[in-house]
Amino acid sequence: QVPVVESGGGLVQPGGSLRLSCEASGARLDAYAVGWSRQGPGKEREEIACIGSGGKNTYYSDSVKGRFTISRDKTKSTVNLQMESLKVEDTAVYYCAAASFVRNFGGSLSCSFDSWGQGTQVTVSP
């Protein structure tokens, strides 16, 4: 429903960092919870992070928690994903989307999505 564009992907060595950005294409993300997912070669899509419209409540998958940080810049209506301590297994196409449904329990979100963007490639290789 809300077209988005991902950017910031690239090639990085293990242990390195990368910052991805998600912005609306012809719309604004301010009113939506926004999430990131990824799909590696031969793997199923994995939702890895979500942030509420207020920029406070979040969700992280166990695979990225402690290494990735999702945030939003409301002045630009963008959502970012800061990735640290990258591993080879983090190699994937990373997607973002506005949430179609979100539940909140004590600050921990459960987000659902309908339309992911085209994605940005992240390759972690020595």
Side-chain angles (χ1 to χ4, degrees):
Q1 182 177 346
V2 182
V4 296
V5 177
E6 302 93 339
S7 63
L11 175 64
V12 64
Q13 295 183 344
S17 302
L18 209 57
R19 180 174 179 268
L20 307 182
S21 294
C22 174
E23 61 182 345
S25 178
R28 296 179 65 86
L29 298 175
D30 303 47
Y32 300 89
V34 175
W36 288 91
S37 70
R38 66 183 182 184
Q39 186 167 24
K43 301 178 180 179
E44 296 183 356
R45 183 186 297 276
E46 174 192 20
E47 181 189 326
I48 58 174
C50 186
I51 187 168
S53 59
K56 298 295 183 181
N57 301 315
T58 59
Y59 160 82
Y60 294 101
S61 68
D62 290 340
S63 61
V64 308
K65 190 175 183 63
R67 298 189 298 121
F68 292 10
T69 302
I70 188 170
S71 63
R72 62 193 315 154
D73 181 352
K74 293 190 174 182
T75 64
K76 298 177 61 177
S77 189
T78 59
V79 172
N80 304 311
L81 185 69
Q82 181 67 38
M83 307 185 295
E84 306 284 351
S85 302
L86 284 163
K87 308 173 181 179
V88 173
E89 50 263 44
D90 292 320
T91 295
V93 177
Y94 284 71
Y95 306 87
C96 73
S100 59
F101 188 82
V102 60
R103 299 171 71 89
N104 181 12
F105 180 77
S108 180
L109 300 182
S110 178
C111 303
S112 298
F113 307 91
D114 291 330
S115 301
W116 298 96
Q118 293 299 304
T120 183
Q121 176 71 48
V122 172
T123 302
V124 185
S125 179

